[in-house]
Structure formats: C-alpha cells, structure tokens
Amino acid sequence: MSRRIARLKYLVASFLFAALFFIQSLTLTWTPRFAFQALILNVAIMLGIYAFRGFDNLTTYSLNSCIVSYISGTVLGVLFALIPIVFFTPRLPRLTFFVTAAVSGLIFPFLSCVLMRYTIKHLPPRRYLVIGREEELGPILEEVKKASMGKIEIYSYMNPSVATLTEAISFEDVKPFDAILIGDPKLARSVEDPLGQGEANGYTIEYLPIVVESSLKRIPLELIDIFRDYYDVAFTDIHISQKKRVFDLILSAIGLTITSPLLLFLSVAIPIESGWPLVFKQKRIGLHMKPFTFKKFRSLTNVSEEDLNKLEDPNETIGGRVTKIGKFIRKTRLDEIPQFFNVFQGNMSIIGPRPEMENYHNKALKSIPYYSYRYRLKPGITGWAQINYPHTSTMEDYKRKTEYDLYYIKNQSFRLDLEITLKTIETMLGMRGSK
C-alpha cells in the first residue's frame, strides 16, 4: 500500500512539474536558454515543496498545512534558482517568475490536496492474513494501520497448522484477503508447503520487516527480536561507500562557502559577548565506537565538558547559561558549522546518527538493545533520527530515536540523503523544531 501511495506522490509531482512548463509557455517564447532556465526554476520549486513536506499524506489532509508547505517551498525554490539563473543572458522575464511562483504557491496547494485526497480515499485497502500471534504483533501492526491511513487492514492472525492454513487459502470465488504477511518466521517454516500453494492460488507472500519499514520509516527494536537472523545479516553488510565520502566533501565545501560570512561574524561576536573559547570541544563516540574530538560553536557560558558530562539529558541547556547569540545559533543549528571540519578530518559525515557523549553512550549501550548497530556508520551533522524525532529527554525517547537511526543505516541511499538534506534546510529556516 505504501508503494501505491509513493507512486501517487510521484504522479502528482510529475503532473505539477509539467503544469509549470505549460503555464510558463503562456508568458514567453521558448528558446534553448529559456527552456534550461525554466527547468532549473521548476526543479528547484519541486524540491522546495518536497523539502517542506508538500507531498506528505498528512500534509494534504490539512489545507492550511498544504498552503504553508507550498508557499514556503516555492519561495525557497525561487531563491535557490536565482543563484544560477542570474548568470544567464537573456534571463527569464520577471513576469514568468511571478506567474510561476503565484501558480505554484497559491493554486497548486488546492490541486494537490484534491488529487491526493480523492485518490487515497478511493484506493482499496490491502488486507493481510498474518502468520503470527496477535499479542506479539498487534501493537506494531496497529501503528502500521494508522500510518497507512487505514489502507492496510488485518484480516486475521494465525498460528497455523498445515491444515488450517490450507483451509484459509482454499477460497475459490471471492478472496477474503489480498496477501499473506509473514509476521513470525519460525511459525512460517512449519507451513512452507501451503504457503507455496497460496502463491500458486494468487496470494502474494510479504514479510513484516518490509511492510513495517516502508510504513513507519523506522525499525522497531521488537521487530529485530522477531527477525533476528534477517537483521543480523542486514547490519553486517553495512559499508561506507566512496560516493558518500565524495558527497560529504562536496557538501562540506559548499556549506563552508555559504556560511563563511556567518562564520566570520560568529568568530567575532561570540568572544565579544561571552569571551573565549570560540569553539567548544568534547569527546564523542564515532565509527566502530572509537572516540573523537567533536567541535561546535560555543553557545553556553561557564560550562565545562565535565559539567555537560554530568547531565542526565545531553540536550539540557543548563538554565540561564545559554548566551543571547547561543539561543539563535542553537535554534538555527548554526552552532554546528565547525563540524564541517570534522567531516573534512574524516571522523564525521554530513548525514548519520548523532554522535553521543561518552557517558550517555555507555548508559544507552547497556539499556537499549541493538544500540551498537548505530555505530556501523560515521556519526553525522544531521540525520534521519534528528529530523523525525528531534527532542530526546528520556531513555524511551532515545530508544525511539535509535529505531530511526537503524532505519537510516540499513536503508541508506543517495535519495534518502537528499531528503534529509532538504528537510534539514527546512529546520534551519525555522519551519520545524530543532534538536
């Protein structure tokens, strides 16, 4: 079901993308230069809308959220598109920019909401016969049902024998369910023959990890318990690609170039307000649990590394000790600019699990199952967990955040990195909460 909705999002985005070209054709005569500039503008706008969650299911169910997402994404896209377009001669007419932005920000939200709502409403639910016990799988699948907006339904749970499963799949006329979901591999092994017969009868066989991950975008730790063999193999096969390293270096260079004026300003403003040091350094845990020196602009005053290490909550700000500049740079995440140098040194990545303080790492390692899996990749300046579950104050919060980290580590890809990058920009612009 999540794949159907994903395809729907791509179709809606493609329709809107094509509509922009049609609208632009009403305001100009096409030339190769104009066509290339229009392509840059339209791609930037679509990426901006995507970054501000304009195509998310929940966004399209609220017209206000949809309008905010599309206007914000359009503004961001136009601003980014102006950077390369300013070097063209002749440039796209101002009228084309104005009409494109107006249509994208004011008309597209209504079109998108109508198309997404109508199509999702009329998508038939996918009904599963679950091989597994309800008391064990019920809570996870209840989350999946909510995340799918009711488009995933459970026909029945079954702790099957060969006879009972054969009877369940023997309907000849109307099939009461669409697919068989393997929720417990141990139970499935005892009924392999009727499962094969089910496939022959037209039922697809699906596995719980795929359904859960595609719906929740995280890996519940309870799921790893059930499919331990599968996840042991999956997390053993993690490696850091050279492409990711190149991506890190390019993005760090761009980041330092763009933020260089702010870097110079903060290098003067922080010492003037609260003295030295300019950069706060602390031991954090990195790849394969090896410690490294973590850097960020100092946002607190009169706080040592020893003070921070005593905190129960690593995100605590120690009331009254945040500087005026510190409040701003923490909110916008500009305090993390020095971490680009960590990336150049090779002990951090742009995207990955958040590097933890040593004392908290030791607590989490003892308390959270599979926590060590998150060290199969370098820690990151931003990451999947940071943009989906930004604030953590309890061990239960860190457990949930670990589930998002594990999802990223297992499913890392250039597309996912791009999504995280865009949503981090959204956070920095103040549209979503920061850590």
Side-chain angles (χ1 to χ4, degrees):
M1 181 55 62
S2 60
R3 292 175 183 172
R4 294 185 194 177
I5 295 177
R7 285 196 293 269
L8 172 61
K9 293 177 184 178
Y10 288 128
L11 287 173
V12 170
S14 299
F15 170 76
L16 299 180
F17 186 64
L20 285 180
F21 283 104
F22 174 75
I23 296 298
Q24 289 161 346
S25 69
L26 302 178
T27 64
L28 55 79
T29 301
W30 289 113
T31 67
R33 284 179 181 270
F34 282 164
F36 188 63
Q37 292 176 65
L39 178 63
I40 293 173
L41 176 61
N42 297 347
V43 168
I45 288 175
M46 288 295 106
L47 288 175
I49 293 171
Y50 176 77
F52 285 92
R53 305 192 174 200
F55 301 115
D56 280 14
N57 304 346
L58 295 177
T59 300
T60 57
Y61 270 75
S62 167
L63 184 57
N64 287 339
S65 297
C66 214
I67 291 172
V68 170
S69 296
Y70 273 74
I71 291 177
S72 303
T74 298
V75 171
L76 178 66
V78 170
L79 290 176
F80 270 90
L82 284 173
I83 297 172
I85 288 177
V86 75
F87 295 102
F88 282 85
T89 303
R91 299 189 196 100
L92 280 176
R94 292 181 181 178
L95 178 62
T96 302
F97 270 97
F98 176 78
V99 171
T100 300
V103 169
S104 177
L106 301 177
I107 297 177
F108 279 6
F110 296 93
L111 281 176
S112 179
C113 277
V114 170
L115 288 172
M116 291 286 288
R117 287 182 189 181
Y118 179 84
T119 309
I120 291 175
K121 181 180 178 180
H122 290 84
L123 280 175
R126 188 163 180 79
R127 307 188 77 199
Y128 286 103
L129 172 66
V130 181
I131 305 299
R133 302 175 181 87
E134 183 174 3
E135 60 271 19
E136 187 176 54
L137 305 179
I140 295 176
L141 285 173
E142 191 60 36
E143 283 192 74
V144 170
K145 286 166 63 178
K146 290 179 181 178
S148 72
M149 296 183 173
K151 295 303 176 180
I152 286 178
E153 295 181 354
I154 306 304
Y155 167 71
S156 177
Y157 291 88
M158 180 174 284
N159 182 358
S161 65
V162 172
T164 56
L165 183 56
T166 300
E167 182 181 354
I169 62 175
S170 63
F171 291 91
E172 296 181 359
D173 299 323
V174 179
K175 294 180 179 178
F177 53 90
D178 304 296
I180 300 172
L181 182 64
I182 306 300
D184 188 331
K186 294 177 182 177
L187 295 180
R189 291 190 195 106
S190 64
V191 288
E192 289 181 350
D193 289 340
L195 283 175
Q197 185 59 46
E199 280 192 291
N201 291 349
Y203 292 107
T204 57
I205 308 296
E206 299 182 29
Y207 287 83
L208 188 63
I210 306 302
V211 173
V212 171
E213 288 183 36
S214 62
S215 299
L216 304 183
K217 306 302 181 185
R218 60 183 175 84
I219 303 177
L221 301 183
E222 298 82 1
L223 185 64
I224 302 179
D225 288 333
I226 301 169
F227 286 85
R228 183 64 184 269
D229 292 343
Y230 167 72
Y231 280 108
D232 277 347
V233 172
F235 283 103
T236 299
D237 194 34
I238 303 300
H239 64 280
I240 303 173
S241 70
Q242 291 300 315
K243 292 179 182 178
K244 186 172 178 64
R245 180 59 178 158
V246 171
F247 178 80
D248 285 342
L249 294 175
I250 291 174
L251 227 58
S252 295
I254 293 173
L256 283 173
T257 301
I258 293 174
T259 60
S260 56
L262 285 167
L263 192 152
L264 292 173
F265 170 75
L266 293 173
S267 297
V268 175
I270 291 174
I272 288 176
E273 182 189 6
S274 56
W276 299 94
L278 171 65
V279 175
F280 178 77
K281 298 180 181 180
Q282 187 182 48
K283 183 188 290 185
R284 296 285 179 102
I285 306 302
L287 180 67
H288 303 316
M289 301 192 203
K290 295 180 180 177
F292 71 98
T293 302
F294 171 87
K295 304 179 183 73
K296 66 191 307 183
F297 277 128
R298 185 172 54 81
S299 58
L300 305 176
T301 183
N302 299 323
V303 178
S304 66
E305 180 176 342
E306 289 73 20
D307 291 332
L308 287 177
N309 283 333
K310 293 175 184 177
L311 296 177
E312 289 298 320
D313 174 11
N315 292 312
E316 191 177 331
T317 59
I318 310 180
R321 297 190 183 182
V322 183
T323 64
K324 293 178 181 178
I325 292 175
K327 290 179 182 178
F328 171 71
I329 63 177
R330 287 167 72 92
K331 178 67 176 177
T332 57
R333 300 183 69 167
L334 294 175
D335 59 331
E336 301 185 2
I337 292 176
Q339 290 168 45
F340 286 126
F341 295 105
N342 280 119
V343 176
F344 278 117
Q345 289 175 336
N347 46 39
M348 283 186 70
S349 182
I350 293 292
I351 296 167
R354 188 71 183 152
E356 294 293 355
M357 295 189 295
E358 189 173 28
N359 69 322
Y360 195 82
H361 157 78
N362 292 332
K363 292 178 183 178
L365 200 59
K366 295 176 182 177
S367 304
I368 301 175
Y370 314 111
Y371 183 78
S372 61
Y373 284 173
R374 71 193 297 277
Y375 293 101
R376 303 291 171 92
L377 286 181
K378 292 180 183 178
I381 298 175
T382 185
W384 189 242
Q386 291 95 300
I387 65 171
N388 282 287
Y389 202 84
H391 181 67
T392 49
S393 58
T394 66
M395 190 61 70
E396 192 61 32
D397 288 329
Y398 269 90
K399 176 184 173 184
R400 180 57 57 90
K401 204 165 185 177
T402 298
E403 293 176 346
Y404 283 106
D405 279 330
L406 298 184
Y407 175 86
Y408 173 75
I409 291 168
K410 177 178 176 289
N411 298 284
Q412 59 174 313
S413 65
F414 178 76
R415 178 192 169 281
L416 190 55
D417 283 352
L418 180 60
E419 179 177 351
I420 294 168
T421 302
L422 292 172
K423 290 181 178 177
T424 300
I425 293 172
E426 179 185 353
T427 297
M428 294 180 67
L429 293 176
M431 297 301 297
R432 299 172 65 228
S434 60
K435 63 182 177 54

